[in-house]
Amino acid sequence: MSASLDELKHLLDNQDEIMDAWMHRLEDEGNEWLEHMSIAQLRQKSQVFLQEISELILTGNVDYKVEDRPVLEAQLKGFTTDAAHFGMGATAFYPYVTSLKYILIHKLIEQLSSAPDQLPAAFSDMYKVLTRPYEYFISSYIAMRERIIYSQSRAIAELSTPVIQIWNDVVAMPLIGEIDTSRAKEIMENLLNAILETKATYVLLDITGVPIVDTGVAESLIKTVEAARLLGAQCVLTGIRPEVAQTLVMLGVDLGSIVTKADFRNGLAYILEMMETSSSRAFVSKTNQSS
Amino acid sequence: MQNQVPILQMGDVLIVTIKPDLTDDEAVKLKDDILHEIKKNNIYGLILDISVVDLIDSYMGRILSEMSDMSRLMGASTVITGMSPYVAISMVEFGLNFRSIQTALTVEKGMEWLNISRTMGVSHG
């Protein structure tokens, strides 16, 4: 056991004193944690943290892993959840630990004034013990944020391509927001699966909520319509705004193979008319057959 | 005869299920059989069901459109039914779109379409 560790141990005999100084410093600095909890709450949380850190120093376990310390790990996970919940940044933990470092450095300097040659070793030990929790916090914070972002993007993707069955044999897909390559793919897959599920013959594809319709978007829409036709469903593209119509003609995009209507109402009217004619024809054919 | 593709007849409609691993010889034989059936039994419509086909490459695409074109020359309309979403997506990505061929979701809907088009033909003629 090195001499510096001995000094650190002496230092920790006075945990309460360190805690007081630490909390005081956090308050002076206006630490971000104090915006979300009282000093008493933070002190309670920090108590466990300081105890764990002290224990690591006292046992001389400088090269530990956070994963091997269940209490410390649980504590840090709590900090991570809080930080993510309060909307604090990934750096939220840094000033908190740095404050403790300051306190300890000052105490060490005071204590080792008679033997300054031991200072570097003591600093390095303390630094090692305090760095691990910080690293752990950062990585688990990033992992948590990534999980949140992933689930949000999934939710957005699902919300943004809803398929509604509005009539027997008719489904509608209102598209909202910009359409990029990955969304175009998702739109196509969702629509085709919905056609299969609902056995729909007619599809209303509404692009009122799509801000920009350029060549790429038009091409993906044409592909979607063609794929739906291959499955046996007929698409009507609705919600073509005047400026969209102008842009498409200016860009020379050929939507001639697709039935388009100005708004959803007209599209639905068109489909109902088609259904009526085809069902009356089917009726005629049945009566012809039976007669 | 071995490996013969069955051709079912319902009224004046033929129903053929295309299998995924159709060889050249089988395809030639199938085309021949279908055309003879059309001639022999005064067939009005042909339904090609491709619900078990999991990939339509240019070869399979050519076979299907050839069958449709030949049947049309003999007076029978063709409906392709049961295409799966992933086949449809890969087809539009390859630029195959079967524009001249009628499609339907299921065999039943294909039958419906044939009935409707028959009435149209009756009313127009």
Side-chain angles (χ1 to χ4, degrees), chain A residues 100-118:
Chain A
L100 179 60
K101 261 187 219 165
Y102 261 111
I103 306 292
L104 293 178
I105 286 171
H106 280 289
K107 295 264 174 198
L108 274 176
I109 291 175
E110 247 170 58
Q111 215 161 48
L112 290 175
S113 53
S114 53
D117 54 320
Q118 286 183 10

Side-chain angles (χ1 to χ4, degrees), chain A residues 199 201 223 226 229 231, chain B residues 93 98-99 103 105 109:
Chain A
K199 304 252 178 283
T201 316
K223 273 185 184 171
E226 269 176 358
R229 203 193 71 82
L231 250 66
Chain B
E93 294 299 336
F98 277 175
R99 260 196 199 139
T103 49
L105 199 59
K109 293 211 176 198

